[in-house]
Amino acid sequence: MKSAIYPGSFDPLTYGHINIINRGRKIFDRVVVAVAGNMSKNTTFTIDERADIIRELFRGVKGVEVVSFRGLLVNYMSRRGIRTILRGLRTFSDFEYEFQMAMGNKKLAQEVETLFMITEGEYSYISSSIIKEIVALGGSARGMVPPLVEKQLRGKLRVERAAVRRGR
Ligand code: COA
């Protein structure tokens, strides 16, 4: 079975990510969507919340598995016997970061290959942070994230705002 891992923070998952997962499914028998835990990023959703949202959205979809992992990606891949990383490239500015990661992973595990897919034009401007900002400021993220993600995000931001008010 040909498998690829699609790692990311997915805080939250966007239609841009979904685009890569669905195109990946046409090439690989299985795309393992891997939600990363211990990152320098301060995430809005916990690792379990991020994975649960993706699981819900891909429930019953053949060829997609959703997992979460902590520690080095290559170590997780080695435990699972997966050798291919799938990543999306949005704009030229993504390249440098992606290049460093691909080379870093290669240095850590020679057998690992990273494959890049160009994110389709209409999604190339989307990022999780932009979506969080839009929703936090009362805008609509329709067409950028699935309705479930927008709903969860609104709920999360409401709780955060309430906590800030209580702390005042
Ligand atoms: N469409 C829309 N947005 C996309 C996208 C796409 N196809 N691909 C990426 N993005 C956005 C994300 O929304 C995210 O936006 P944000 O910065 O506003 O949150 C940004 O691009 C980058 O996110 P992502 O692709 O999820 O990468 P990341 O930097 O959050 O995650 C890991 C990188 C998790 C893959 C990497 O840190 C990792 O492997 N960590 C494990 C530890 C490890 O092994 N480290 C050594 C690596 S050499």
Side-chain angles (χ1 to χ4, degrees):
M1 188 191 259
K2 257 193 313 171
S3 297
I5 196 158
Y6 180 44
S9 47
F10 305 114
D11 186 48
L13 182 90
T14 70
Y15 278 133
H17 297 124
I18 291 176
N19 176 254
I20 301 291
I21 297 168
N22 284 333
R23 286 161 61 207
R25 283 172 55 219
K26 295 182 187 153
I27 300 169
F28 296 96
D29 301 312
R30 182 176 51 180
V31 174
V32 178
V33 182
V35 180
N38 52 336
M39 294 168 320
S40 44
K41 278 185 178 175
N42 243 337
T43 58
T44 302
F45 292 96
T46 66
I47 183 169
D48 290 338
E49 288 168 340
R50 286 178 273 144
D52 284 347
I53 290 174
I54 307 173
R55 251 181 228 117
E56 182 64 30
L57 290 168
F58 282 91
R59 188 203 298 261
V61 176
K62 241 183 110 200
V64 178
E65 180 188 342
V66 183
V67 298
S68 52
F69 74 100
R70 292 180 194 275
L72 284 177
L73 174 64
V74 292
N75 289 349
Y76 179 76
M77 291 173 71
S78 153
R79 288 199 295 277
R80 294 288 312 266
I82 301 171
R83 294 180 164 203
T84 308
I85 301 172
L86 179 62
R87 293 284 291 170
L89 272 183
R90 289 167 302 170
T91 55
F92 195 69
S93 55
D94 276 350
F95 180 78
E96 198 172 334
Y97 173 61
E98 291 297 336
F99 178 79
Q100 285 173 354
M101 265 204 307
M103 296 310 279
N105 283 322
K106 191 83 188 153
K107 187 83 186 153
L108 291 166
Q110 264 304 312
E111 70 283 7
V112 164
E113 296 293 349
T114 305
L115 294 185
F116 294 103
M117 261 184 188
I118 302 292
T119 306
E120 280 174 347
E122 59 185 304
Y123 304 116
S124 60
Y125 68 96
I126 297 178
S127 77
S128 301
S129 314
I130 292 237
I131 284 156
K132 283 187 274 191
E133 184 168 321
I134 290 172
V135 173
L137 296 174
S140 165
R142 201 158 157 226
M144 300 178 205
V145 293
L148 171 73
V149 172
E150 185 162 359
K151 186 170 163 233
Q152 299 269 4
L153 197 49
R154 283 197 195 288
K156 197 73 173 177
L157 295 171
R158 206 174 298 126
V159 171
E160 275 178 7
R161 273 199 301 270
V164 169
R165 274 198 300 273
R166 273 199 306 277
R168 253 195 236 131

